[in-house]
């Protein structure tokens, strides 16, 4: 039931074709009638006396006569109703979709009333299902709204509004946020640009904060204030962000450059204190600007604008930052080590405000080369795994000799080899001291610490994933390539445990601060999507483990 989505309930009526054996339909236009008369005519057709039957057409199969606009409305060739016989062929479409499939199916009811009855029954069934899951405490994650008014689509983007299902984790989270600010006017967005990344951190004196990177800069708020966002860094195209609390540093990728900031310059104590929920109870947008203190200049860590991604981790008892630079079809990885701050005798800056040639933040630690395109890197205690166009490569910094996994040379692995053929790897995740999960776009494969397949079966996903992360060595979280849902699976046994549906769903934070090298740190998986009730709005939520989960 979670995988069934009602795409539309009020498309314009269509007329069935007279040609037998051809499932073509044409839209209705009526001569010399205004909009109100058209609505009255449509309503008068619904007498409700006939049997509730549905006709079905696969929308993709009727491309010659039907197309869909960016707003989700169906456009078909038009015709004019000129006689009562034409109204007898009138059909009322609505669209449904299976989240794991690309096709959208159009069903046709014989009257507007019958169409509404079908849609109401589908919504009722999904609402009952959501209530049942909540009552059974069967969902691994509950959601908490981190931003529901601050971010929005610009005038040239956005998608059609989704149909709200009451009682889902997303609906409950939105209701909780609305109730919290009941009686207050809804603030205007502070940013109308793409939301790309997010992270939690503690401000130097202990305040829990959240930062979000967008195409217009970095926005920050107190973690308990979803309507207190303000812009802390003005810079374009921020695609990844992280905080090294031990060193009081914030690092990000902006316009494909890796840049580091002093955390106390980005988020000074006065800002964090003024941004708490108590201080913003009357006006959640109030804040003290970061310019209240003399800011320290940022440092550009990379050279040319060719950085695709970075990862932070702890190896050899050192905190390290790995970042990837593209060189043709190959990848060069640079490894930096942050150092504790020392007073600088030079204040030399470039004309853009960045320090020139300063090693006050970081020092070069190592580098290595991968002769193919790379997409992601996962860090472990003594090794690292790189997702490449040729598969997954594992290596250590000592030897820098990568080897490919999984090892599929054995005859019994032939079916697995065929299954992952031409699939992009999304990452490698530790399940235990002796077993790992390799995640591809459509399947997951279990391997031992030597890279050999440890289970004869693969974990099949509902859809085709574009992003993946492992939470707490227990739950695999996948975001579908179509941006239609989040898929949560038990990483140990592969069972599907939860579906969070939406539109334009994107993973902002992998939440890996709770596992691997940083086990025990605070982190959470964060996603954003179109606000289900505000067509041009964006809602950012974090996925919090349900402590009372029942298997």
């Amino acid at each position: 039931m979670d995988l069934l989505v009602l795409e539309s309930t009020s498309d314009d009526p269509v007329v069935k074709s007279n040609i037998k054996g051809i499932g073509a339909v044409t839209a209705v236009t009526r001569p010399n009638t205004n909009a109100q008369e058209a609505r009255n005519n449509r309503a008068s057709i619904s007498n409700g006396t006939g049997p509730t039957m549905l006709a079905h057409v696969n929308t993709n199969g009727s491309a010659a006569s039907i197309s869909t606009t960016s707003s989700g409305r169906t456009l078909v060739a038009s015709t004019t109703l000129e006689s009562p016989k034409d109204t007898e062929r009138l059909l009322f479409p609505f669209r449904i979709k299976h989240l794991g499939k690309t096709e959208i199916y159009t069903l046709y009811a014989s009257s507007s009333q019958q169409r509404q009855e079908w849609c109401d029954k589908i919504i009722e069934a999904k609402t009952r299902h959501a209530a049942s899951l909540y009552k059974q405490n069967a969902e691994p994650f509950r959601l908490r709204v981190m931003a529901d008014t601050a971010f929005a689509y610009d005038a040239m983007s956005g998608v059609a509004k989704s149909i709200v299902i009451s009682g889902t984790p997303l609906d409950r989270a939105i209701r909780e946020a609305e109730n919290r600010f009941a009686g207050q006017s809804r603030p205007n967005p502070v940013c109308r640009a793409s939301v790309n990344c997010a992270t939690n951190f503690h401000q130097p004196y202990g305040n829990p904060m959240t930062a979000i990177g967008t195409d217009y800069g970095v926005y920050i708020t107190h973690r308990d204030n979803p309507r207190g966002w303000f812009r802390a860094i003005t810079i374009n195209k921020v695609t990844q962000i992280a905080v090294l609390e031990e060193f009081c540093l914030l690092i990000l990728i902006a316009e494909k450059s890796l840049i580091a900031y002093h955390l106390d310059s980005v988020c000074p104590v006065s800002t964090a204190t003024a941004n708490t929920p108590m201080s913003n109870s009357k006006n959640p947008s109030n804040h003290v600007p970061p310019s209240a203190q003399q800011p320290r200049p940022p440092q550009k860590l990379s050279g040319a604008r060719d950085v695709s991604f970075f990862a932070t981790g702890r190896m050899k008892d050192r905190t390290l930052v790995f970042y990837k630079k593209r060189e043709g079809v190959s990848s060069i990885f640079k490894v930096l080590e942050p150092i504790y701050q020392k007073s600088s005798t030079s204040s030399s800056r470039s004309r853009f405000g960045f320090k020139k040639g300063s090693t006050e933040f970081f020092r070069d630690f190592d580098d290595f080369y991968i002769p193919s395109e790379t997409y992601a890197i996962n860090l472990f205690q003594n090794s690292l795994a790189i997702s490449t166009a040729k598969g997954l490569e594992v290596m250590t910094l000592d030897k820098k000799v990568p080897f490919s996994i999984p090892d599929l040379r054995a005859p019994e692995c032939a079916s697995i080899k065929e299954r992952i053929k031409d699939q992009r790897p999304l990452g490698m995740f530790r399940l235990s001291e002796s077993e790992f999960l390799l995640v591809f776009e459509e399947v997951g494969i279990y391997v031992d610490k030597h890279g050999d397949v440890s289970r004869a079966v693969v974990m099949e996903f509902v859809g085709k994933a574009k992003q993946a992360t492992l939470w707490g060595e227990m739950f695999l979280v996948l975001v579908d390539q179509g941006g239609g849902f989040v898929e949560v699976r038990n990483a140990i046994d592969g069972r599907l445990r939860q579906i969070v549906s939406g539109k334009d769903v994107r993973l902002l934070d992998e939440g890996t601060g709770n596992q691997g090298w940083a086990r025990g740190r605070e982190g959470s998986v964060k996603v954003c999507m179109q606000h289900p009730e505000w067509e041009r709005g964006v809602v950012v939520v974090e996925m919090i483990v349900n402590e009372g989960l029942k298997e």
Side-chain angles (χ1 to χ4, degrees):
M1 182 57 67
D2 285 331
L3 298 173
L4 173 66
V5 173
L6 193 57
E7 288 283 303
S8 72
T9 62
S10 58
D11 288 343
D12 291 333
V14 296
V15 175
K16 187 177 180 181
S17 172
N18 285 323
I19 304 175
K20 293 184 178 180
I22 298 181
V25 292
T26 53
V28 175
T29 60
R30 300 173 183 271
N32 303 321
T33 57
N34 57 30
Q36 183 60 46
E37 290 172 342
R39 286 192 292 270
N40 293 339
N41 289 337
R42 293 172 192 167
S44 66
I45 297 172
S46 306
N47 52 30
T49 58
T52 307
M53 299 295 290
L54 289 177
H56 159 253
V57 169
N58 185 329
T59 303
N60 291 355
S62 302
S65 58
I66 303 177
S67 61
T68 303
T69 67
S70 60
S71 63
R73 303 288 291 180
T74 300
L75 298 180
V76 294
S78 64
T79 189
T80 302
L81 297 180
E82 297 179 349
S83 68
K85 290 184 178 181
D86 290 330
T87 62
E88 295 176 0
R89 296 186 289 116
L90 202 62
L91 298 175
F92 294 79
F94 63 97
R95 290 174 287 137
I96 61 174
K97 184 181 187 299
H98 184 285
L99 286 176
K101 309 297 181 181
T102 58
E103 298 84 6
I104 297 178
Y105 296 94
T106 301
L107 303 179
Y108 295 92
S110 58
S111 70
S112 176
Q113 179 182 348
Q114 289 179 1
R115 176 177 64 179
Q116 190 61 50
E117 289 175 356
W118 276 97
C119 294
D120 289 345
K121 290 297 183 182
I122 292 174
I123 294 174
E124 179 184 350
K126 290 181 67 66
T127 302
R128 288 183 176 180
H129 179 69
S132 176
L133 291 177
Y134 179 66
K135 183 178 181 180
Q136 297 173 38
N137 216 5
E139 295 164 319
F141 291 98
R142 60 184 178 89
L143 303 183
R144 186 177 78 89
V145 170
M146 307 191 73
D148 63 338
T149 64
F151 303 98
Y153 295 101
D154 60 33
M156 301 302 295
S157 60
V159 292
K161 188 167 63 174
S162 57
I163 296 171
V164 177
I165 304 298
S166 300
T168 62
L170 178 61
D171 180 68
R172 295 197 304 269
I174 291 175
R175 297 284 78 74
E176 181 180 344
E178 293 287 350
N179 292 337
R180 178 178 176 182
F181 295 98
Q184 301 181 20
S185 60
R186 184 180 178 86
N188 292 324
V190 298
C191 174
R192 295 182 182 273
S194 176
V195 177
N196 304 320
C197 52
T199 189
N200 286 344
F201 66 95
H202 280 87
Q203 190 263 353
Y205 292 88
N207 290 303
M209 310 293 288
T210 298
I212 285 181
T214 75
D215 280 357
Y216 285 171
V218 176
Y219 293 77
I220 290 178
T221 189
H222 191 282
R223 199 173 305 170
D224 292 329
N225 190 359
R227 297 188 178 179
W229 294 91
F230 64 92
R231 183 158 61 176
I233 302 176
T234 302
I235 197 168
N236 293 331
K237 303 291 184 182
V238 179
T239 55
Q240 191 175 352
I241 190 170
V243 172
L244 303 177
E245 293 182 5
E246 180 183 359
F247 300 91
C248 200
L249 292 174
L250 181 147
I251 56 178
L252 56 81
I253 295 177
E255 295 186 302
K256 296 188 177 182
S257 294
L258 186 64
I259 305 170
Y261 294 80
H262 282 279
L263 195 57
D264 54 2
S265 297
V266 174
C267 184
V269 181
S270 58
T271 302
T273 303
N275 194 241
T276 59
M278 291 299 294
S279 65
N280 291 326
S281 58
K282 293 184 178 180
N283 186 354
S285 296
N286 283 343
H287 67 273
V288 178
S291 57
Q293 298 185 15
Q294 182 64 32
R296 303 184 198 180
Q299 181 184 8
K300 189 174 182 179
L301 305 178
S302 61
R305 294 182 176 182
D306 55 2
V307 179
S308 301
F309 58 83
F310 70 85
T312 61
R314 192 163 182 85
M315 285 186 179
K316 302 176 179 293
D317 296 323
R318 300 172 183 266
T319 298
L320 301 176
V321 177
F322 295 70
Y323 72 91
K324 175 237 175 169
K325 299 175 61 178
R326 182 170 181 173
E327 187 175 277
V329 294
S330 302
S331 303
I332 296 176
F333 283 85
K334 299 285 188 179
V335 187
L336 304 177
E337 180 184 15
I339 58 177
Y340 287 101
Q341 310 305 310
K342 298 178 181 180
S343 60
S344 176
T345 58
S346 172
S347 59
S348 175
R349 303 185 191 179
S350 73
R351 62 191 180 94
F352 298 105
F354 299 118
K355 280 186 172 292
K356 295 195 298 183
S358 170
T359 57
E360 186 179 6
F361 292 160
F362 293 86
R363 71 177 183 90
D364 292 335
F365 182 79
D366 211 333
D367 58 70
F368 56 91
Y369 169 82
I370 300 293
S372 66
E373 178 61 82
T374 57
Y375 312 119
I377 183 171
N378 300 100
L379 306 180
F380 304 100
Q381 187 173 358
N382 298 309
S383 62
L384 53 94
I386 305 170
S387 301
T388 78
K390 298 179 180 179
L392 280 154
E393 304 282 337
V394 176
M395 60 176 286
T396 65
L397 284 181
D398 292 330
K399 297 183 178 179
K400 299 185 181 65
V401 179
F403 63 93
S404 299
I405 59 171
D407 186 349
L408 300 174
R409 291 174 293 181
E412 56 270 22
C413 297
S415 61
I416 297 177
K417 182 177 181 179
E418 182 64 25
R419 186 67 183 88
I420 65 173
K421 184 179 179 181
D422 299 326
Q423 287 194 38
R424 175 182 291 193
L426 301 180
M428 176 178 178
F429 305 101
R430 181 194 297 274
L431 301 181
S432 66
E433 293 300 321
S434 59
E435 192 171 43
F436 294 81
L437 179 64
L438 310 183
V439 178
F440 294 82
E441 291 175 316
E442 297 178 359
V443 298
I445 299 174
Y446 297 95
V447 299
D448 59 24
K449 59 184 178 181
H450 303 293
D452 298 322
V453 176
S454 59
R455 305 189 195 183
V457 297
V458 300
M459 182 192 301
E460 293 280 353
F461 305 150
V462 169
K464 190 172 185 178
K466 66 177 177 181
Q467 296 167 298
T469 187
L470 182 71
W471 173 257
E473 300 181 352
M474 174 60 74
F475 298 112
L476 179 65
V477 180
L478 306 159
V479 175
D480 184 65
Q481 282 189 4
F485 65 101
V486 177
E487 178 178 349
V488 179
R489 289 188 174 271
N490 185 309
I492 306 301
D493 59 27
R495 286 192 302 157
L496 178 63
R497 298 306 314 274
Q498 188 174 5
I499 293 289
V500 179
S501 62
K503 291 195 174 183
D504 194 28
V505 182
R506 285 167 285 158
L507 180 66
L508 303 181
D509 182 11
E510 296 180 352
T512 51
N514 165 323
Q515 65 174 13
W517 67 275
R519 186 178 287 107
R521 285 186 55 192
E522 192 172 358
S524 62
V525 178
K526 302 174 188 64
V527 297
C528 74
M529 65 187 76
Q530 181 200 50
H531 197 297
E533 298 173 4
W534 297 84
E535 187 170 350
R536 307 215 64 81
V538 174
V539 59
V540 180
V541 297
E542 64 176 339
M543 302 176 67
I544 302 174
V545 173
N546 183 359
E547 300 295 343
L549 176 66
K550 295 180 181 179
E551 291 289 339

